[in-house]
Amino acid sequence: MLMKNNPVLYIVVPCFNEREALPQSHAKLAKLMDEMISQDIIAQESKLLYVDDGSRDDTWEIIERLAAENGRVAGVKLACNSGHQNALMAGLAAAVEHCDITVSIDADLQDDITVIPKMVERYKDGCDIVFGVRKERKTDTWFKRTTANMFYRLMKWLGVSTIENHADYRLMSRRAVLALLDYKERNLFIRGIVTKLGYKTDCVYYNRSARIAGESKYPFKKMVNFAIDGITSFSMKPVRLVMQVGLLFLFIALIMLIYVLCAYFMGRAVSGWPSIILSIWLVGAFVLIGLGIIGEYVGKIYTEVKNRPRYNIDTTVGLESVKS
Ligand code: UDP
Ligand code: MG
């Protein structure tokens, strides 16, 4: 087993209008952190970092009060609501300077915090990323469960690597966070990126519970937008599909040509019909193929614009480590 000094842990919690949930969640997280410190699992300097994502209620005042009462609380306030993924990035960026590991978790504590010590254990065993994975989600509504399942299946089909039933509850080492921060894209779908970093990963499993208080901050519209971001940020398959349909149309046009010729020679073709029916299929095919070709170029431009890192160094020998 790889022995390391006890790591400094920052638990990063994005909060948007969480006045009902935050005080209860904080009490639980602070208690867990104290226990982990006294059990010598993490370092004394560990902290809870709350990110206020431009809340319209008094979430920030609550965070300020918690920070005044407890030296282990830190806060970051975003100037306006920037969305869960951006809030999480802001928190990780702020935390990474001060800690060895981060754990990101939602403010409603639907994810079981008692597995955090297990995550730290895996980190000490040499993992850079530890995913929290839901075993079952009975407490979510039928609708949320089904749409989420369909989404994961669609993502898999589109070739986007995500961990099924893993949201944004995960431990990341310092170097994994630094690697993630190298992804400068605006349409963030963090759970799609972390699987691409290439570091050693592991999963811990838990049962998802109901929201501690307040209501979901992910209404249907935000959920759909998030899903579209996830797909279009990672997959060129939809564009290629247009091209494939175009080729299919071209094939149909050929069959139609044979059909029309047969009909013509058998004297069953009404005058004017052959040229019209052939034009419809051929023009349709060329338009779609044209769109597919343009799509390929747009896709290339998109990949360039995202400016993602080309590689991520795991380790070096005979050189000073590039990232620690
Ligand atoms: N959240 C955020 N900004 C937003 C929406 C949500 O920071 O614009 C936070 C929210 O406070 C919570 C987490 O993201 O900590 C997940 O939201 P929620 O639990 O409401 O989503 P659900 O579990 O219903 O999908
Ligand atoms: Mg939730």
Side-chain angles (χ1 to χ4, degrees):
M1 193 174 115
L2 222 82
M3 277 309 287
K4 291 180 184 169
N5 283 343
N6 279 338
V8 177
L9 165 68
Y10 269 46
I11 299 184
V12 178
V13 191
C15 309
F16 176 58
N17 294 344
E18 293 287 5
R19 69 185 307 257
E20 282 112 347
L22 192 54
Q24 300 176 48
S25 302
H26 169 72
K28 291 191 174 178
L29 284 169
K31 184 160 165 278
L32 177 84
M33 191 158 256
D34 287 344
E35 280 167 11
M36 283 168 72
I37 291 171
S38 64
Q39 287 165 12
D40 212 23
I41 298 173
I42 53 172
Q44 287 278 349
E45 300 82 19
S46 300
K47 280 195 178 185
L48 295 166
L49 175 67
Y50 296 109
V51 183
D52 174 21
D53 182 17
S55 297
R56 286 182 266 278
D57 63 4
D58 56 351
T59 299
W60 179 245
E61 283 71 31
I62 297 174
I63 296 171
E64 281 183 320
R65 203 189 67 226
L66 295 176
E69 287 167 2
N70 184 340
R72 289 218 176 92
V73 174
V76 171
K77 183 182 193 309
L78 302 190
C80 63
N81 181 236
S82 310
H84 176 212
Q85 302 287 289
N86 289 318
L88 192 52
M89 276 297 220
L92 292 174
V96 77
E97 298 163 29
H98 310 283
C99 67
D100 300 306
I101 48 176
T102 61
V103 167
S104 48
I105 188 165
D106 291 350
D108 56 359
L109 298 197
Q110 284 190 282
D111 310 298
D112 181 5
I113 60 169
T114 60
V115 299
I116 293 179
K118 265 195 229 162
M119 289 180 166
V120 178
E121 212 173 279
R122 297 284 187 287
Y123 164 75
K124 289 181 176 174
D125 290 341
C127 287
D128 277 281
I129 304 171
V130 186
F131 301 105
V133 178
R134 300 178 281 249
K135 271 191 293 204
E136 41 108 331
R137 38 196 309 170
K138 280 195 195 120
T139 49
D140 281 342
T141 57
W142 175 86
F143 180 72
K144 184 132 191 163
R145 249 186 354 241
T146 326
T147 47
N149 266 337
M150 275 163 47
F151 176 63
Y152 284 117
R153 233 172 280 160
L154 180 69
M155 291 294 269
K156 209 169 177 180
W157 181 72
L158 290 169
V160 186
S161 68
T162 46
I163 306 261
E164 200 168 331
N165 284 325
H166 161 71
D168 281 307
Y169 181 33
R170 78 179 76 83
L171 175 144
M172 295 180 84
S173 69
R174 187 154 187 275
R175 67 172 189 165
V177 174
L178 287 173
L180 172 68
L181 292 173
D182 271 349
Y183 284 72
K184 308 281 187 207
E185 60 210 71
R186 296 285 167 272
N187 301 296
L188 263 181
F189 188 72
I190 298 175
R191 65 193 76 162
I193 301 175
V194 284
T195 55
K196 291 164 92 65
L197 297 179
Y199 290 136
K200 190 170 170 202
T201 63
D202 202 355
C203 298
V204 294
Y205 298 89
Y206 64 93
N207 291 326
R208 186 162 159 103
S209 40
R211 204 172 218 286
I212 204 164
E215 52 196 44
S216 174
K217 307 296 180 283
Y218 258 101
F220 186 64
K221 202 170 131 215
K222 263 193 191 173
M223 232 163 72
V224 171
N225 283 340
F226 186 52
I228 293 175
D229 262 358
I231 292 166
T232 51
S233 295
F234 288 89
S235 182
M236 282 275 286
K237 216 160 177 169
V239 170
R240 303 232 156 100
L241 221 61
V242 175
M243 173 67 102
Q244 282 159 12
V245 174
L247 292 174
L248 179 74
F249 271 35
L250 196 60
F251 181 67
I252 295 175
L254 278 176
I255 295 177
M256 284 313 274
L257 178 70
I258 297 167
Y259 176 62
V260 165
L261 281 178
C262 291
Y264 181 75
F265 286 119
M266 288 160 85
R268 276 198 275 140
V270 184
S271 120
W273 170 76
S275 53
I276 286 181
I277 201 73
L278 280 180
S279 312
I280 288 174
W281 286 102
L282 270 178
V283 169
F286 290 143
V287 167
L288 284 175
I289 291 171
L291 277 179
I293 292 171
I294 292 173
E296 279 289 325
Y297 285 100
V298 174
K300 291 277 181 310
I301 295 169
Y302 185 45
T303 320
E304 293 294 335
V305 169
K306 272 189 289 191
N307 203 9
R308 284 183 175 176
R310 293 204 183 85
Y311 50 77
N312 185 22
I313 292 175
D314 184 9
T315 181
T316 55
V317 61
L319 286 171
E320 281 288 295
S321 175
V322 178
K323 272 178 199 166
S324 57

